[in-house]
Amino acid sequence: MNSLVYPRRANDELLTGPNLRLRIGEHVIDTGALRVVTRPELPRLTSKAVAVLVELVRDVGQTVTRDALLDRVWTGRFPTPDVLTQAVKELRRALGDDTKPPQYIETIPKVGYRLIAPVLVLDGPEGGIVAESDVTQVAIGDSLTANDAPAMPPPPRARTWLLVAGALVLVFAAVAIALLIDRVRTPEVAAAPATWKVGAVRAITSDQGAERRPQLSPDGTRVAFAVADPGNAPTRVVVRSIEPSQLVRISAGGADYESMPSWSPDGTRIAFERASETRCAIYVASSLGGDEREIAPCRDYNVSYYDWTPDGQGLLTAQSAKGDSGDLALVKLDLDSGNKEFLKYAHTGKDQDLEPHYSPDGRFIAFRRGVAPYSDLYVMAADGGDVRQVTHIASRIRGHTWSRDGRALIFASNFGGAMALYAVDVKTGATEPLGISPAEYPSASHESDAVVYEIPRTQNQLAVVNLDKSTPPTRTLAPSTGSDYAATLSPSGDRLVFVSDRSGQLQLWLYDWASDAATPLTEDADTPVFWPRWSADGKRIVAVQLHGDGSRQLIEIDVASRRQRALSQPDENILFGGYGPDPDSYLFAIGASGRSNELVLVSHPREAGESRKVIESGIAFAQVDARARAIYYTTSDGEGLYRYAIDDGAKRFVSPDVSSVTTNGWRVVDGHVWYVTGVEVKPVVLHDLDPETRTDTELGRLDITLKDVNFSVMPERKSLVLSEIGTEDTDVGMFTLTRAGSP
């Protein structure tokens, strides 16, 4: 029996409202808010996924071809077919359509997709209704009027069916509306998981310069943070009330940098880090200033974080259990004796655990496993034992804190694109965006609903930094009001590809030296793109494309035509990629954080002759030396730099000086490895490491500050292109966080 499909113009009229809400099966979707209302714990849908859903609703019960969907949703662009696959995958996850046969979206092999669930349009010019003509066929339309009737009267049997269908419409509409009133509009319903309510979002500092790494006192009345002394001197840890008040410096100062403040449980003391180019130490001082004493040496600015033990007699931090190797394990430091005790918990020598925080009741510890950029959050009992993974994002995490009730973690991550705040339920792992971005390093009070965080107001600008002291030290390229990252020169050095948010979203841009102009290479605001790498002939670029469901795909872009093609499979999560040493060969880093990812050399991807060779697991970063037919890589265990010979498979350890802590701040240059140290602590030092002799030569000291450690080397080897921190006016923000429905 055929379905009754009302004229397409009626469908269009229904589906163009500004605040369209659809009931599809048992779920309600707010297309304007990009939300599945009946599943509030889920992150927002991407606009492209919602657009695909609306197109399927237009032809509900009918098969819509892949080409038609690509043409309607990605009009005027040249997307890879996999963007549609990812959008449908995102919709299925959001609707919980994981059964076989599917209950919502049916795949018609090699053709397209069909929406098979009943649909009710809740908003629109007339209030739209969808009716079932039989169990498997559905149709959409608004109220049937004389103007919508067919030009010729239907035959008698058809008229009879039309009356039956009309009755079904009314019954279905009544049932659906009753369900909606019961499940959506009734505030007492407890079936849906609790969500968060964010209020009073504001900046509490506004001075010129940067105020960084804020930490809220336990009672929520004061905040400690690091601020630069006048004249761009090293940073100092200061304390002030959350209301406008005078800054109190807690230390005597000096030539070293201070950061990472952490309040004692009673709010009377603050632990902090003092670092220079050659030394790092942990100190404790009175929160009113003075009474300073040194506690212990610390490891590295990038991995040193502290929390007080609940009894206030020690600090919890991360150190190497093997001495000075790359592993990181959680350890307690006794303040009186200076003794340290490593926690006994599920940890191997290859894990890198850092940034521990006790829950408000002291019963649990949350920590980050994996040095950036592939981290996840874990939780365990305070006395050790088994650990449980809470997030599964394998992305950069910049700070986390417990919610006041101890049931969730608030963290900052860029797994959805921009760095933003999220709340994750410790038991279920359900993650909810809080709608605060840009944001980093949250810190919550244990006694109030207040949360402070860092508002990163940092502008990264492309710059040429000269190593030859006879020339001007720096020159800015393609200035804009946005921030630029990951500068990568083409093999000939005539063009530069970089990542920038100057268009509002992280996309790829091209800079041409001849014209001194930058133009966009990608422009899809719904899919951030990063990690660009050039082909040997300078005609193509591989990059990672981030989809709305958090998955990442490796794509290749033809620079001349801007056409894209997918290199990785739709179900593969790509951390980074690059070109291999042979034609049509590529390097894939596939998987998640920690030791579960794999570095794979792929030839002829997504073709009949595709071949794969696994190089190593647990990769932090890798680069190909095409001339030597070798791959250099660092592992997530932090042990150092390795070299893999592509032809014979021989592996050897190169040096501990370049490791996962260096992140991606190293490059293969003429068979050597150039890398940087001193990031965020001036000066940045550029090194040249000879892999054969292990000779480490200092190439120069750069009077700059870096947040993005990517760099590219100019062909003459006398200068670098990188993203220097230009204007920095980072402030401290604050908001209140309560459970939805609470007073």
Side-chain angles (χ1 to χ4, degrees):
M1 187 176 293
N2 295 327
S3 63
L4 295 172
V5 181
Y6 299 138
R8 178 67 183 264
R9 59 186 175 84
N11 298 356
D12 288 342
E13 185 181 7
L14 275 173
L15 299 173
T16 54
N19 298 302
L20 182 65
R21 290 163 65 92
L22 301 170
R23 179 173 182 82
I24 301 177
E26 64 176 13
H27 292 298
V28 176
I29 293 90
D30 187 328
T31 62
L34 306 178
R35 288 282 197 190
V36 181
V37 178
T38 45
R39 300 188 73 187
E41 76 277 8
L42 297 181
R44 294 182 191 273
L45 295 166
T46 61
S47 61
K48 294 301 185 189
V50 170
V52 169
L53 181 63
V54 170
E55 292 303 320
L56 293 174
V57 168
R58 290 186 196 281
D59 294 299
V60 61
Q62 309 286 318
T63 299
V64 187
T65 67
R66 293 179 63 88
D67 288 343
L69 289 169
L70 287 167
D71 182 61
R72 294 178 197 172
V73 178
W74 287 272
T75 303
R77 302 183 185 276
F78 301 98
T80 66
D82 290 298
V83 298
L84 176 58
T85 302
Q86 294 292 338
V88 172
K89 183 189 298 185
E90 180 183 346
L91 290 173
R92 284 174 170 156
R93 289 177 180 173
L95 297 171
D97 196 12
D98 54 0
T99 60
K100 293 184 180 180
Q103 303 300 307
Y104 289 87
I105 301 174
E106 179 185 15
T107 298
I108 309 302
K110 299 184 179 180
V111 179
Y113 301 96
R114 187 167 74 107
L115 184 62
I116 57 177
V119 178
L120 179 68
V121 182
L122 303 179
D123 301 294
E126 300 287 342
I129 299 175
V130 173
E132 286 186 308
S133 57
D134 59 32
V135 176
T136 59
Q137 300 291 325
V138 292
I140 183 171
D142 57 3
S143 301
L144 187 64
T145 66
N147 293 331
D148 297 323
M152 296 295 292
R157 291 183 63 184
R159 283 199 298 269
T160 301
W161 168 243
L162 185 59
L163 293 174
V164 174
L168 287 174
V169 166
L170 296 177
V171 172
F172 179 80
V175 173
I177 291 172
L179 285 172
L180 284 173
I181 293 174
D182 180 56
R183 301 183 65 178
V184 178
R185 298 181 182 176
T186 306
E188 300 82 43
V189 173
T195 56
W196 293 99
K197 181 171 64 177
V198 174
V201 181
R202 64 196 188 277
I204 61 173
T205 67
S206 57
D207 296 333
Q208 289 186 344
E211 295 89 43
R212 304 175 65 188
R213 304 296 175 90
Q215 290 291 303
L216 197 57
S217 62
D219 62 2
T221 63
R222 294 179 293 166
V223 60
F225 53 89
V227 61
D229 273 354
N232 201 29
T235 55
R236 299 281 170 258
V237 172
V238 297
V239 174
R240 53 156 278 187
S241 168
I242 60 172
E243 303 301 330
S245 61
Q246 185 176 359
L247 300 180
V248 176
R249 181 184 292 179
I250 68 169
S251 71
D256 297 337
Y257 291 80
E258 295 175 358
S259 188
M260 307 293 188
S262 178
W263 290 86
S264 63
D266 60 4
T268 62
R269 293 168 293 169
I270 292 177
F272 64 96
E273 175 183 295
R274 182 175 291 159
S276 67
E277 184 183 345
T278 59
R279 188 174 185 271
C280 179
I282 306 168
Y283 288 78
V284 170
S286 168
S287 61
L288 300 177
D291 192 25
E292 173 187 308
R293 63 185 177 121
E294 183 175 344
I295 302 301
C298 51
R299 167 157 179 169
D300 184 277
Y301 184 87
N302 294 316
V303 298
S304 296
Y305 298 85
Y306 316 100
D307 195 18
W308 289 74
T309 57
D311 60 10
Q313 297 180 10
L315 296 176
L316 186 62
T317 185
Q319 290 187 2
S320 170
K322 303 176 186 176
D324 199 23
S325 62
D327 74 305
L328 287 171
L330 303 185
V331 60
K332 289 182 182 179
L333 302 177
D334 185 89
L335 296 183
D336 292 330
S337 66
N339 294 333
K340 60 184 180 181
E341 176 189 358
F342 284 93
L343 274 62
K344 297 179 181 179
Y345 66 105
H347 170 90
T348 73
K350 292 184 177 294
D351 289 325
Q352 288 188 302
D353 298 338
L354 65 162
E355 201 171 350
H357 291 292
Y358 282 96
S359 60
D361 60 8
R363 297 172 55 204
F364 300 98
I365 295 172
F367 62 94
R368 172 160 62 97
R369 176 163 286 178
V371 176
Y374 314 122
S375 299
D376 272 299
L377 297 179
Y378 289 71
V379 169
M380 67 177 178
D383 57 358
D386 292 334
V387 304
R388 182 166 52 84
Q389 187 171 350
V390 177
T391 65
H392 295 81
I393 59 176
S395 298
R396 189 180 298 275
I397 294 176
R398 285 186 172 156
H400 66 94
T401 186
W402 287 87
S403 62
R404 181 185 179 184
D405 60 12
R407 293 161 52 192
L409 296 172
I410 298 100
F411 67 97
S413 178
N414 64 348
F415 78 94
M419 191 64 67
L421 294 185
Y422 298 84
V424 57
D425 188 280
V426 172
K427 288 186 177 180
T428 67
T431 302
E432 178 183 355
L434 298 180
I436 299 178
S437 180
E440 299 176 348
Y441 303 108
S443 172
S445 167
H446 290 178
E447 300 174 21
S448 74
D449 296 326
V451 182
V452 295
Y453 65 100
E454 185 178 296
I455 307 173
R457 291 174 175 158
T458 301
Q459 184 187 29
N460 283 9
Q461 55 191 19
L462 292 178
V464 177
V465 178
N466 295 311
L467 304 177
D468 185 353
K469 295 182 179 180
S470 64
T471 57
T474 60
R475 177 167 67 94
T476 302
L477 303 177
S480 76
T481 57
S483 281
D484 306 325
Y485 311 89
T488 307
L489 280 164
S490 63
S492 63
D494 63 332
R495 285 184 293 183
L496 183 75
V497 65
F498 61 97
V499 180
S500 180
D501 64 0
R502 55 181 67 194
S503 63
Q505 178 60 282
L506 294 176
Q507 296 290 311
L508 299 187
W509 287 68
L510 284 176
Y511 173 79
D512 184 86
W513 295 94
S515 62
D516 191 28
T519 56
L521 180 62
T522 61
E523 300 182 75
D524 190 342
D526 291 322
T527 52
V529 187
F530 44 93
W531 286 110
R533 289 291 178 266
W534 288 91
S535 62
D537 59 9
K539 296 181 179 180
R540 293 160 293 135
I541 290 171
V542 296
V544 176
Q545 190 177 63
L546 177 66
H547 295 281
D549 61 358
S551 63
R552 288 166 283 201
Q553 186 174 40
L554 192 66
I555 62 171
E556 184 173 52
I557 306 166
D558 180 84
V559 176
S561 67
R562 304 300 200 262
R563 292 185 179 273
Q564 301 177 13
R565 70 166 179 140
L567 297 175
S568 57
Q569 297 294 335
D571 59 347
E572 291 179 329
N573 188 62
I574 300 297
L575 300 177
F576 63 87
Y579 285 95
D582 301 311
D584 204 25
S585 68
Y586 303 84
L587 205 61
F588 289 14
I590 309 171
S593 58
R595 300 189 304 278
S596 60
N597 68 59
E598 290 185 330
L599 185 66
V600 184
L601 189 60
V602 183
S603 297
H604 313 296
R606 304 193 73 164
E607 297 179 7
E610 177 180 310
S611 64
R612 296 190 170 210
K613 184 178 184 180
V614 177
I615 305 301
E616 186 60 274
S617 61
I619 296 297
F621 188 57
Q623 289 212 358
V624 173
D625 185 348
R627 188 179 304 174
R629 297 188 60 78
I631 299 172
Y632 289 90
Y633 62 88
T634 54
T635 57
S636 58
D637 58 20
E639 289 185 347
L641 181 70
Y642 290 81
R643 183 183 188 275
Y644 173 88
I646 295 173
D647 294 328
D648 62 13
K651 302 179 184 179
R652 66 179 176 86
F653 182 75
V654 176
S655 172
D657 296 328
V658 179
S659 69
S660 58
V661 176
T662 316
T663 61
N664 53 357
W666 59 275
R667 295 292 179 270
V668 178
V669 181
D670 301 330
H672 287 206
V673 175
W674 289 19
Y675 70 98
V676 295
T677 59
V679 177
E680 296 194 38
V681 179
K682 291 184 179 181
V684 173
V685 182
L686 179 66
H687 302 258
D688 179 340
L689 173 65
D690 185 337
E692 299 302 325
T693 64
R694 299 190 180 182
T695 303
D696 195 312
T697 305
E698 184 178 302
L699 294 177
R701 291 173 172 254
L702 314 176
D703 188 26
I704 58 176
T705 304
L706 298 179
K707 193 169 186 179
D708 172 39
V709 294
N710 283 278
F711 66 89
S712 197
V713 183
M714 294 287 282
E716 82 285 354
R717 308 299 189 243
K718 294 182 179 180
S719 55
L720 308 177
V721 180
L722 42 71
S723 297
E724 178 186 7
I725 292 181
T727 304
E728 182 173 18
D729 196 19
T730 296
D731 289 324
V732 176
M734 186 174 180
F735 62 95
T736 59
L737 186 66
T738 55
R739 294 278 178 179
S742 61

